[in-house]
Amino acid sequence: MRTRQHHWNRLLLAAREEVQATLAALPPPVRERARSLPVSYENKPDPELVRDGLEPDLLGLFVGESFPDEVTGNDPLPAQILLYLDNLWDYAAHHAPTYREEVRRTYLHELGHYLGLDEDQLSARDLD
């Protein structure tokens, strides 16, 4: 158990550092908007989400209202980004520099959804 906790702590620390560095590098107007969006770190998607159709190896997820739609307030979930650290670690083939890059890319991808970008627009920005 201690080994698992140590592994989680390492993944979490690296992910938080990468998200903070990515935030700091954003243009000021985007950075200010992004700072208000919480980021949650989890091992893997909740089994209930998987039963609802999400892939078990999902890297990240944006939930809630996107920024352009916040005024409608129809979504019961607060806007946030979920990063699935064990899945990111596996996707990076357990290579620390690749893991950090995938955390950055996944964070930016999900932030793009918050800012109202669709999959085609994210792909055009090499964030697919």
CSV table of all heavy atoms in Angstrom, one decimal, residues 63-124:
chain,number,residue,atom,x,y,z
A,63,VAL,N,-16.1,18.7,-17.5
A,63,VAL,CA,-17.5,18.6,-17.1
A,63,VAL,C,-18.1,20.0,-16.7
A,63,VAL,O,-17.3,20.9,-16.3
A,63,VAL,CB,-17.8,17.6,-16.0
A,63,VAL,CG1,-17.4,16.2,-16.4
A,63,VAL,CG2,-17.1,18.0,-14.7
A,64,GLY,N,-19.4,20.2,-16.9
A,64,GLY,CA,-20.0,21.5,-16.6
A,64,GLY,C,-20.2,22.3,-17.8
A,64,GLY,O,-20.0,21.9,-18.9
A,65,GLU,N,-20.6,23.5,-17.5
A,65,GLU,CA,-20.9,24.5,-18.6
A,65,GLU,C,-19.6,25.0,-19.2
A,65,GLU,O,-18.7,25.4,-18.4
A,65,GLU,CB,-21.7,25.6,-18.1
A,65,GLU,CG,-23.1,25.3,-17.6
A,65,GLU,CD,-24.1,25.1,-18.8
A,65,GLU,OE1,-23.8,25.5,-19.9
A,65,GLU,OE2,-25.1,24.5,-18.5
A,66,SER,N,-19.5,25.1,-20.5
A,66,SER,CA,-18.3,25.8,-21.1
A,66,SER,C,-18.4,27.3,-20.8
A,66,SER,O,-19.5,27.8,-20.5
A,66,SER,CB,-18.2,25.5,-22.5
A,66,SER,OG,-19.3,26.1,-23.2
A,67,PHE,N,-17.3,28.0,-20.9
A,67,PHE,CA,-17.3,29.4,-20.6
A,67,PHE,C,-18.3,30.2,-21.4
A,67,PHE,O,-19.1,31.0,-20.8
A,67,PHE,CB,-15.9,30.0,-20.8
A,67,PHE,CG,-15.8,31.5,-20.7
A,67,PHE,CD1,-16.1,32.1,-19.5
A,67,PHE,CD2,-15.4,32.2,-21.8
A,67,PHE,CE1,-16.0,33.5,-19.4
A,67,PHE,CE2,-15.3,33.6,-21.7
A,67,PHE,CZ,-15.6,34.2,-20.5
A,68,PRO,N,-18.4,30.0,-22.7
A,68,PRO,CA,-19.4,30.7,-23.5
A,68,PRO,C,-20.9,30.4,-23.1
A,68,PRO,O,-21.8,31.2,-23.3
A,68,PRO,CB,-19.2,30.3,-24.9
A,68,PRO,CG,-17.8,29.8,-25.0
A,68,PRO,CD,-17.6,29.2,-23.6
A,69,ASP,N,-21.1,29.2,-22.5
A,69,ASP,CA,-22.4,28.8,-22.1
A,69,ASP,C,-22.8,29.1,-20.6
A,69,ASP,O,-23.9,28.7,-20.2
A,69,ASP,CB,-22.7,27.3,-22.4
A,69,ASP,CG,-22.5,27.1,-23.9
A,69,ASP,OD1,-22.8,28.0,-24.7
A,69,ASP,OD2,-22.1,25.9,-24.2
A,70,GLU,N,-21.8,29.6,-19.8
A,70,GLU,CA,-22.0,29.7,-18.4
A,70,GLU,C,-23.3,30.5,-18.0
A,70,GLU,O,-23.9,30.2,-17.0
A,70,GLU,CB,-20.8,30.3,-17.7
A,70,GLU,CG,-19.7,29.4,-17.5
A,70,GLU,CD,-18.5,30.1,-16.8
A,70,GLU,OE1,-18.4,31.3,-16.8
A,70,GLU,OE2,-17.7,29.4,-16.2
A,71,VAL,N,-23.6,31.4,-18.8
A,71,VAL,CA,-24.8,32.2,-18.5
A,71,VAL,C,-26.1,31.5,-18.5
A,71,VAL,O,-27.0,31.8,-17.7
A,71,VAL,CB,-24.9,33.5,-19.4
A,71,VAL,CG1,-23.8,34.4,-19.3
A,71,VAL,CG2,-25.0,33.0,-20.9
A,72,THR,N,-26.2,30.4,-19.2
A,72,THR,CA,-27.4,29.6,-19.2
A,72,THR,C,-27.6,28.8,-17.9
A,72,THR,O,-28.7,28.6,-17.4
A,72,THR,CB,-27.5,28.6,-20.4
A,72,THR,OG1,-26.4,27.7,-20.3
A,72,THR,CG2,-27.4,29.4,-21.7
A,73,GLY,N,-26.4,28.3,-17.4
A,73,GLY,CA,-26.5,27.6,-16.1
A,73,GLY,C,-27.3,26.3,-16.1
A,73,GLY,O,-27.9,26.0,-15.1
A,74,ASN,N,-27.5,25.6,-17.3
A,74,ASN,CA,-28.3,24.5,-17.3
A,74,ASN,C,-27.6,23.2,-16.8
A,74,ASN,O,-28.3,22.2,-16.5
A,74,ASN,CB,-28.8,24.2,-18.7
A,74,ASN,CG,-29.8,25.3,-19.2
A,74,ASN,OD1,-30.5,25.9,-18.4
A,74,ASN,ND2,-29.8,25.6,-20.5
A,75,ASP,N,-26.3,23.2,-16.7
A,75,ASP,CA,-25.6,22.0,-16.3
A,75,ASP,C,-25.6,21.9,-14.8
A,75,ASP,O,-25.1,22.8,-14.1
A,75,ASP,CB,-24.2,22.0,-16.9
A,75,ASP,CG,-23.6,20.6,-16.9
A,75,ASP,OD1,-23.7,19.9,-15.8
A,75,ASP,OD2,-23.0,20.2,-17.9
A,76,PRO,N,-26.0,20.8,-14.2
A,76,PRO,CA,-26.0,20.7,-12.7
A,76,PRO,C,-24.6,20.5,-12.2
A,76,PRO,O,-24.4,20.7,-11.0
A,76,PRO,CB,-26.8,19.4,-12.5
A,76,PRO,CG,-26.6,18.6,-13.7
A,76,PRO,CD,-26.5,19.6,-14.8
A,77,LEU,N,-23.6,20.2,-13.0
A,77,LEU,CA,-22.2,20.0,-12.5
A,77,LEU,C,-21.4,21.3,-12.6
A,77,LEU,O,-21.5,22.0,-13.6
A,77,LEU,CB,-21.5,18.9,-13.3
A,77,LEU,CG,-22.0,17.5,-13.2
A,77,LEU,CD1,-21.3,16.6,-14.2
A,77,LEU,CD2,-21.9,17.0,-11.8
A,78,PRO,N,-20.6,21.6,-11.6
A,78,PRO,CA,-19.8,22.8,-11.7
A,78,PRO,C,-18.7,22.5,-12.7
A,78,PRO,O,-18.2,21.4,-12.9
A,78,PRO,CB,-19.2,23.0,-10.3
A,78,PRO,CG,-19.3,21.6,-9.7
A,78,PRO,CD,-20.5,20.9,-10.3
A,79,ALA,N,-18.3,23.5,-13.5
A,79,ALA,CA,-17.3,23.4,-14.5
A,79,ALA,C,-16.0,23.0,-13.8
A,79,ALA,O,-15.6,23.6,-12.8
A,79,ALA,CB,-17.1,24.7,-15.3
A,80,GLN,N,-15.3,22.0,-14.4
A,80,GLN,CA,-14.0,21.5,-13.9
A,80,GLN,C,-13.4,20.6,-14.9
A,80,GLN,O,-14.1,20.0,-15.7
A,80,GLN,CB,-14.2,20.8,-12.5
A,80,GLN,CG,-14.9,19.5,-12.6
A,80,GLN,CD,-14.9,18.8,-11.2
A,80,GLN,OE1,-13.9,18.7,-10.5
A,80,GLN,NE2,-16.0,18.3,-10.8
A,81,ILE,N,-12.1,20.5,-14.7
A,81,ILE,CA,-11.3,19.5,-15.5
A,81,ILE,C,-10.9,18.4,-14.6
A,81,ILE,O,-10.5,18.6,-13.5
A,81,ILE,CB,-10.1,20.2,-16.1
A,81,ILE,CG1,-10.5,21.2,-17.2
A,81,ILE,CG2,-9.1,19.1,-16.7
A,81,ILE,CD1,-9.3,22.0,-17.7
A,82,LEU,N,-11.1,17.1,-15.1
A,82,LEU,CA,-10.7,15.9,-14.4
A,82,LEU,C,-9.5,15.4,-15.2
A,82,LEU,O,-9.6,15.2,-16.4
A,82,LEU,CB,-11.8,14.9,-14.4
A,82,LEU,CG,-13.1,15.4,-13.7
A,82,LEU,CD1,-14.2,14.4,-14.0
A,82,LEU,CD2,-12.9,15.5,-12.2
A,83,LEU,N,-8.4,15.1,-14.5
A,83,LEU,CA,-7.3,14.4,-15.2
A,83,LEU,C,-7.1,13.1,-14.5
A,83,LEU,O,-7.1,13.0,-13.3
A,83,LEU,CB,-6.0,15.3,-15.0
A,83,LEU,CG,-6.0,16.6,-15.7
A,83,LEU,CD1,-4.7,17.4,-15.4
A,83,LEU,CD2,-6.2,16.5,-17.2
A,84,TYR,N,-7.0,12.0,-15.3
A,84,TYR,CA,-6.9,10.7,-14.8
A,84,TYR,C,-5.4,10.2,-14.9
A,84,TYR,O,-4.9,9.8,-15.9
A,84,TYR,CB,-7.8,9.8,-15.6
A,84,TYR,CG,-9.2,10.2,-15.5
A,84,TYR,CD1,-9.9,10.7,-16.6
A,84,TYR,CD2,-9.9,10.1,-14.3
A,84,TYR,CE1,-11.2,11.2,-16.5
A,84,TYR,CE2,-11.2,10.5,-14.2
A,84,TYR,CZ,-11.9,11.0,-15.3
A,84,TYR,OH,-13.2,11.5,-15.1
A,85,LEU,N,-4.8,10.3,-13.7
A,85,LEU,CA,-3.3,10.2,-13.7
A,85,LEU,C,-2.8,8.8,-14.0
A,85,LEU,O,-1.8,8.7,-14.7
A,85,LEU,CB,-2.8,10.7,-12.3
A,85,LEU,CG,-3.2,12.2,-12.0
A,85,LEU,CD1,-2.5,12.6,-10.7
A,85,LEU,CD2,-3.0,13.1,-13.1
A,86,ASP,N,-3.4,7.8,-13.5
A,86,ASP,CA,-3.0,6.4,-13.8
A,86,ASP,C,-3.1,6.2,-15.3
A,86,ASP,O,-2.2,5.6,-15.9
A,86,ASP,CB,-3.7,5.4,-13.1
A,86,ASP,CG,-3.3,5.2,-11.6
A,86,ASP,OD1,-2.1,5.6,-11.3
A,86,ASP,OD2,-4.0,4.6,-10.8
A,87,ASN,N,-4.2,6.6,-15.9
A,87,ASN,CA,-4.3,6.5,-17.4
A,87,ASN,C,-3.3,7.3,-18.2
A,87,ASN,O,-2.7,6.8,-19.2
A,87,ASN,CB,-5.7,6.9,-17.8
A,87,ASN,CG,-6.8,5.9,-17.4
A,87,ASN,OD1,-6.5,4.8,-16.9
A,87,ASN,ND2,-8.0,6.2,-17.6
A,88,LEU,N,-3.0,8.5,-17.7
A,88,LEU,CA,-2.0,9.3,-18.3
A,88,LEU,C,-0.6,8.6,-18.2
A,88,LEU,O,0.2,8.6,-19.2
A,88,LEU,CB,-1.9,10.7,-17.7
A,88,LEU,CG,-3.1,11.6,-18.2
A,88,LEU,CD1,-3.3,12.7,-17.2
A,88,LEU,CD2,-2.8,12.2,-19.6
A,89,TRP,N,-0.3,8.1,-17.0
A,89,TRP,CA,1.0,7.4,-16.8
A,89,TRP,C,1.1,6.1,-17.7
A,89,TRP,O,2.1,5.9,-18.3
A,89,TRP,CB,1.1,7.0,-15.3
A,89,TRP,CG,2.3,6.3,-14.9
A,89,TRP,CD1,2.4,5.0,-14.5
A,89,TRP,CD2,3.6,6.8,-14.9
A,89,TRP,NE1,3.7,4.7,-14.2
A,89,TRP,CE2,4.5,5.8,-14.4
A,89,TRP,CE3,4.2,8.1,-15.3
A,89,TRP,CZ2,5.9,6.0,-14.3
A,89,TRP,CZ3,5.6,8.3,-15.1
A,89,TRP,CH2,6.4,7.2,-14.6
A,90,ASP,N,0.0,5.4,-17.8
A,90,ASP,CA,0.0,4.2,-18.7
A,90,ASP,C,0.2,4.7,-20.2
A,90,ASP,O,1.0,4.1,-20.9
A,90,ASP,CB,-1.2,3.4,-18.6
A,90,ASP,CG,-1.3,2.7,-17.2
A,90,ASP,OD1,-0.3,2.5,-16.5
A,90,ASP,OD2,-2.4,2.2,-16.9
A,91,TYR,N,-0.5,5.7,-20.6
A,91,TYR,CA,-0.4,6.2,-22.0
A,91,TYR,C,1.0,6.7,-22.3
A,91,TYR,O,1.4,6.5,-23.4
A,91,TYR,CB,-1.4,7.4,-22.1
A,91,TYR,CG,-1.5,7.8,-23.6
A,91,TYR,CD1,-2.3,7.1,-24.5
A,91,TYR,CD2,-0.9,9.0,-24.0
A,91,TYR,CE1,-2.4,7.6,-25.8
A,91,TYR,CE2,-1.0,9.5,-25.3
A,91,TYR,CZ,-1.8,8.7,-26.2
A,91,TYR,OH,-1.9,9.2,-27.5
A,92,ALA,N,1.7,7.2,-21.3
A,92,ALA,CA,3.0,7.7,-21.5
A,92,ALA,C,4.1,6.5,-21.4
A,92,ALA,O,5.3,6.8,-21.3
A,92,ALA,CB,3.3,8.8,-20.4
A,93,ALA,N,3.6,5.3,-21.3
A,93,ALA,CA,4.4,4.1,-21.1
A,93,ALA,C,5.4,4.3,-20.0
A,93,ALA,O,6.6,3.8,-20.0
A,93,ALA,CB,5.2,3.9,-22.4
A,94,HIS,N,4.9,4.9,-18.9
A,94,HIS,CA,5.7,5.0,-17.6
A,94,HIS,C,7.0,5.8,-17.8
A,94,HIS,O,8.0,5.5,-17.1
A,94,HIS,CB,5.9,3.6,-17.0
A,94,HIS,CG,4.6,2.9,-16.8
A,94,HIS,ND1,4.6,1.6,-16.3
A,94,HIS,CD2,3.3,3.2,-16.9
A,94,HIS,CE1,3.4,1.2,-16.2
A,94,HIS,NE2,2.6,2.2,-16.5
A,95,HIS,N,7.0,6.7,-18.7
A,95,HIS,CA,8.1,7.6,-19.0
A,95,HIS,C,7.8,9.0,-18.5
A,95,HIS,O,6.9,9.6,-19.0
A,95,HIS,CB,8.4,7.6,-20.5
A,95,HIS,CG,9.6,8.3,-20.9
A,95,HIS,ND1,9.5,9.5,-21.6
A,95,HIS,CD2,10.9,8.1,-20.7
A,95,HIS,CE1,10.7,10.0,-21.8
A,95,HIS,NE2,11.6,9.1,-21.3
A,96,ALA,N,8.5,9.4,-17.5
A,96,ALA,CA,8.2,10.7,-16.8
A,96,ALA,C,8.1,11.9,-17.7
A,96,ALA,O,7.1,12.7,-17.6
A,96,ALA,CB,9.2,10.9,-15.6
A,97,PRO,N,9.1,12.2,-18.6
A,97,PRO,CA,8.9,13.3,-19.5
A,97,PRO,C,7.7,13.2,-20.4
A,97,PRO,O,7.0,14.3,-20.6
A,97,PRO,CB,10.2,13.3,-20.3
A,97,PRO,CG,11.2,12.6,-19.4
A,97,PRO,CD,10.4,11.5,-18.7
A,98,THR,N,7.4,12.1,-20.9
A,98,THR,CA,6.2,11.9,-21.7
A,98,THR,C,4.9,12.1,-20.9
A,98,THR,O,4.0,12.7,-21.4
A,98,THR,CB,6.2,10.5,-22.4
A,98,THR,OG1,7.5,10.3,-23.1
A,98,THR,CG2,5.0,10.3,-23.3
A,99,TYR,N,5.0,11.6,-19.7
A,99,TYR,CA,3.8,11.8,-18.8
A,99,TYR,C,3.5,13.3,-18.6
A,99,TYR,O,2.4,13.7,-18.8
A,99,TYR,CB,4.1,11.1,-17.4
A,99,TYR,CG,3.1,11.5,-16.4
A,99,TYR,CD1,1.8,10.9,-16.3
A,99,TYR,CD2,3.4,12.4,-15.3
A,99,TYR,CE1,0.9,11.2,-15.3
A,99,TYR,CE2,2.5,12.7,-14.3
A,99,TYR,CZ,1.3,12.1,-14.3
A,99,TYR,OH,0.4,12.4,-13.3
A,100,ARG,N,4.5,14.1,-18.3
A,100,ARG,CA,4.3,15.5,-18.2
A,100,ARG,C,3.8,16.2,-19.4
A,100,ARG,O,2.9,17.0,-19.4
A,100,ARG,CB,5.7,16.2,-17.7
A,100,ARG,CG,6.0,16.0,-16.3
A,100,ARG,CD,7.3,16.7,-16.0
A,100,ARG,NE,7.6,16.6,-14.6
A,100,ARG,CZ,7.2,17.5,-13.7
A,100,ARG,NH1,6.5,18.6,-14.0
A,100,ARG,NH2,7.5,17.4,-12.4
A,101,GLU,N,4.3,15.7,-20.6
A,101,GLU,CA,3.8,16.3,-21.8
A,101,GLU,C,2.3,15.9,-22.1
A,101,GLU,O,1.5,16.7,-22.5
A,101,GLU,CB,4.7,15.8,-23.0
A,101,GLU,CG,4.2,16.2,-24.4
A,101,GLU,CD,4.1,17.7,-24.6
A,101,GLU,OE1,4.7,18.5,-23.9
A,101,GLU,OE2,3.3,18.1,-25.5
A,102,GLU,N,2.0,14.7,-21.7
A,102,GLU,CA,0.6,14.3,-21.9
A,102,GLU,C,-0.3,15.0,-20.9
A,102,GLU,O,-1.5,15.3,-21.2
A,102,GLU,CB,0.5,12.7,-21.8
A,102,GLU,CG,1.1,12.0,-22.9
A,102,GLU,CD,0.5,12.4,-24.3
A,102,GLU,OE1,-0.7,12.8,-24.4
A,102,GLU,OE2,1.3,12.4,-25.3
A,103,VAL,N,0.1,15.2,-19.7
A,103,VAL,CA,-0.6,16.0,-18.7
A,103,VAL,C,-0.9,17.4,-19.3
A,103,VAL,O,-2.0,17.9,-19.3
A,103,VAL,CB,0.1,16.1,-17.4
A,103,VAL,CG1,-0.6,17.2,-16.5
A,103,VAL,CG2,0.0,14.8,-16.6
A,104,ARG,N,0.1,18.0,-19.9
A,104,ARG,CA,0.0,19.4,-20.5
A,104,ARG,C,-1.0,19.3,-21.6
A,104,ARG,O,-1.9,20.2,-21.7
A,104,ARG,CB,1.4,19.9,-21.0
A,104,ARG,CG,1.3,21.3,-21.5
A,104,ARG,CD,2.7,21.7,-22.2
A,104,ARG,NE,2.9,21.0,-23.5
A,104,ARG,CZ,2.3,21.3,-24.6
A,104,ARG,NH1,1.4,22.3,-24.6
A,104,ARG,NH2,2.5,20.6,-25.7
A,105,ARG,N,-0.8,18.4,-22.5
A,105,ARG,CA,-1.7,18.3,-23.7
A,105,ARG,C,-3.1,18.0,-23.3
A,105,ARG,O,-4.1,18.6,-23.8
A,105,ARG,CB,-1.2,17.2,-24.7
A,105,ARG,CG,0.0,17.6,-25.4
A,105,ARG,CD,0.5,16.5,-26.3
A,105,ARG,NE,-0.5,16.0,-27.3
A,105,ARG,CZ,-0.8,16.7,-28.4
A,105,ARG,NH1,-0.2,17.8,-28.7
A,105,ARG,NH2,-1.8,16.2,-29.2
A,106,THR,N,-3.3,17.1,-22.4
A,106,THR,CA,-4.7,16.8,-21.9
A,106,THR,C,-5.3,18.0,-21.2
A,106,THR,O,-6.5,18.3,-21.4
A,106,THR,CB,-4.7,15.5,-21.0
A,106,THR,OG1,-4.1,14.4,-21.8
A,106,THR,CG2,-6.1,15.1,-20.6
A,107,TYR,N,-4.6,18.6,-20.4
A,107,TYR,CA,-5.1,19.8,-19.7
A,107,TYR,C,-5.5,20.9,-20.7
A,107,TYR,O,-6.6,21.4,-20.6
A,107,TYR,CB,-4.1,20.4,-18.7
A,107,TYR,CG,-4.5,21.7,-18.1
A,107,TYR,CD1,-5.5,21.8,-17.2
A,107,TYR,CD2,-3.9,22.9,-18.6
A,107,TYR,CE1,-5.9,23.0,-16.7
A,107,TYR,CE2,-4.3,24.1,-18.1
A,107,TYR,CZ,-5.3,24.2,-17.1
A,107,TYR,OH,-5.7,25.4,-16.6
A,108,LEU,N,-4.7,21.2,-21.7
A,108,LEU,CA,-5.0,22.1,-22.7
A,108,LEU,C,-6.2,21.7,-23.5
A,108,LEU,O,-7.0,22.5,-23.9
A,108,LEU,CB,-3.8,22.4,-23.6
A,108,LEU,CG,-2.7,23.2,-23.0
A,108,LEU,CD1,-1.4,23.2,-23.9
A,108,LEU,CD2,-3.1,24.6,-22.6
A,109,HIS,N,-6.3,20.4,-23.8
A,109,HIS,CA,-7.4,19.9,-24.6
A,109,HIS,C,-8.7,20.2,-23.8
A,109,HIS,O,-9.7,20.7,-24.4
A,109,HIS,CB,-7.3,18.4,-24.8
A,109,HIS,CG,-8.4,17.8,-25.6
A,109,HIS,ND1,-8.3,17.5,-26.9
A,109,HIS,CD2,-9.6,17.3,-25.1
A,109,HIS,CE1,-9.5,17.0,-27.3
A,109,HIS,NE2,-10.3,16.8,-26.2
A,110,GLU,N,-8.7,19.8,-22.5
A,110,GLU,CA,-10.0,20.0,-21.7
A,110,GLU,C,-10.2,21.5,-21.5
A,110,GLU,O,-11.4,21.9,-21.5
A,110,GLU,CB,-9.9,19.2,-20.4
A,110,GLU,CG,-9.6,17.7,-20.6
A,110,GLU,CD,-10.6,17.0,-21.5
A,110,GLU,OE1,-11.8,17.5,-21.7
A,110,GLU,OE2,-10.2,16.0,-22.1
A,111,LEU,N,-9.2,22.3,-21.3
A,111,LEU,CA,-9.4,23.7,-21.2
A,111,LEU,C,-10.0,24.3,-22.5
A,111,LEU,O,-10.9,25.2,-22.4
A,111,LEU,CB,-8.0,24.4,-20.9
A,111,LEU,CG,-8.1,25.9,-20.8
A,111,LEU,CD1,-9.0,26.3,-19.6
A,111,LEU,CD2,-6.7,26.5,-20.6
A,112,GLY,N,-9.6,23.7,-23.6
A,112,GLY,CA,-10.2,24.1,-24.9
A,112,GLY,C,-11.7,23.9,-24.9
A,112,GLY,O,-12.5,24.7,-25.4
A,113,HIS,N,-12.1,22.8,-24.4
A,113,HIS,CA,-13.6,22.5,-24.3
A,113,HIS,C,-14.2,23.5,-23.4
A,113,HIS,O,-15.3,24.0,-23.7
A,113,HIS,CB,-13.8,21.1,-23.7
A,113,HIS,CG,-13.6,20.0,-24.7
A,113,HIS,ND1,-14.2,20.0,-26.0
A,113,HIS,CD2,-12.8,18.9,-24.6
A,113,HIS,CE1,-13.8,18.9,-26.6
A,113,HIS,NE2,-13.0,18.2,-25.8
A,114,TYR,N,-13.6,23.9,-22.3
A,114,TYR,CA,-14.2,24.9,-21.4
A,114,TYR,C,-14.3,26.2,-22.2
A,114,TYR,O,-15.3,27.0,-22.0
A,114,TYR,CB,-13.3,25.1,-20.2
A,114,TYR,CG,-13.7,26.2,-19.3
A,114,TYR,CD1,-14.9,26.3,-18.6
A,114,TYR,CD2,-12.8,27.3,-19.1
A,114,TYR,CE1,-15.3,27.3,-17.8
A,114,TYR,CE2,-13.2,28.4,-18.3
A,114,TYR,CZ,-14.4,28.4,-17.7
A,114,TYR,OH,-14.7,29.4,-16.9
A,115,LEU,N,-13.4,26.5,-23.0
A,115,LEU,CA,-13.4,27.8,-23.7
A,115,LEU,C,-14.3,27.7,-25.0
A,115,LEU,O,-14.4,28.7,-25.7
A,115,LEU,CB,-12.0,28.2,-24.1
A,115,LEU,CG,-11.0,28.5,-23.0
A,115,LEU,CD1,-9.6,28.7,-23.5
A,115,LEU,CD2,-11.5,29.6,-22.1
A,116,GLY,N,-14.9,26.6,-25.2
A,116,GLY,CA,-15.9,26.5,-26.3
A,116,GLY,C,-15.4,25.9,-27.5
A,116,GLY,O,-16.2,25.9,-28.5
A,117,LEU,N,-14.2,25.3,-27.6
A,117,LEU,CA,-13.7,24.7,-28.8
A,117,LEU,C,-14.2,23.3,-28.9
A,117,LEU,O,-14.4,22.5,-27.9
A,117,LEU,CB,-12.2,24.6,-28.7
A,117,LEU,CG,-11.5,26.0,-28.6
A,117,LEU,CD1,-10.0,25.8,-28.5
A,117,LEU,CD2,-11.8,26.9,-29.8
A,118,ASP,N,-14.5,22.9,-30.2
A,118,ASP,CA,-15.0,21.5,-30.4
A,118,ASP,C,-13.8,20.6,-30.8
A,118,ASP,O,-12.6,21.1,-30.9
A,118,ASP,CB,-16.1,21.4,-31.4
A,118,ASP,CG,-15.7,21.9,-32.8
A,118,ASP,OD1,-14.5,21.9,-33.2
A,118,ASP,OD2,-16.6,22.3,-33.6
A,119,GLU,N,-14.0,19.3,-31.0
A,119,GLU,CA,-12.9,18.4,-31.4
A,119,GLU,C,-12.2,18.8,-32.6
A,119,GLU,O,-10.9,18.7,-32.7
A,119,GLU,CB,-13.4,17.0,-31.5
A,119,GLU,CG,-13.9,16.4,-30.2
A,119,GLU,CD,-12.9,16.2,-29.1
A,119,GLU,OE1,-11.7,16.0,-29.4
A,119,GLU,OE2,-13.2,16.4,-27.9
A,120,ASP,N,-12.8,19.3,-33.7
A,120,ASP,CA,-12.2,19.7,-34.9
A,120,ASP,C,-11.3,20.9,-34.6
A,120,ASP,O,-10.1,21.0,-35.1
A,120,ASP,CB,-13.2,20.1,-36.0
A,120,ASP,CG,-13.9,18.9,-36.5
A,120,ASP,OD1,-13.3,17.7,-36.4
A,120,ASP,OD2,-15.0,19.0,-37.0
A,121,GLN,N,-11.7,21.9,-33.8
A,121,GLN,CA,-10.9,23.1,-33.5
A,121,GLN,C,-9.7,22.7,-32.7
A,121,GLN,O,-8.6,23.2,-32.8
A,121,GLN,CB,-11.8,24.1,-32.8
A,121,GLN,CG,-12.9,24.7,-33.7
A,121,GLN,CD,-13.9,25.5,-32.9
A,121,GLN,OE1,-14.4,25.0,-31.9
A,121,GLN,NE2,-14.2,26.7,-33.4
A,122,LEU,N,-9.9,21.7,-31.7
A,122,LEU,CA,-8.8,21.2,-30.9
A,122,LEU,C,-7.8,20.5,-31.8
A,122,LEU,O,-6.6,20.7,-31.6
A,122,LEU,CB,-9.3,20.4,-29.8
A,122,LEU,CG,-10.0,21.1,-28.7
A,122,LEU,CD1,-10.8,20.1,-27.8
A,122,LEU,CD2,-9.1,22.0,-27.9
A,123,SER,N,-8.3,19.7,-32.7
A,123,SER,CA,-7.4,19.0,-33.6
A,123,SER,C,-6.6,19.9,-34.5
A,123,SER,O,-5.4,19.7,-34.7
A,123,SER,CB,-8.2,18.0,-34.5
A,123,SER,OG,-7.4,17.3,-35.4
A,124,ALA,N,-7.2,21.0,-34.9
A,124,ALA,CA,-6.5,22.0,-35.7
A,124,ALA,C,-5.4,22.7,-34.9
A,124,ALA,O,-4.4,23.2,-35.5
A,124,ALA,CB,-7.5,23.1,-36.2
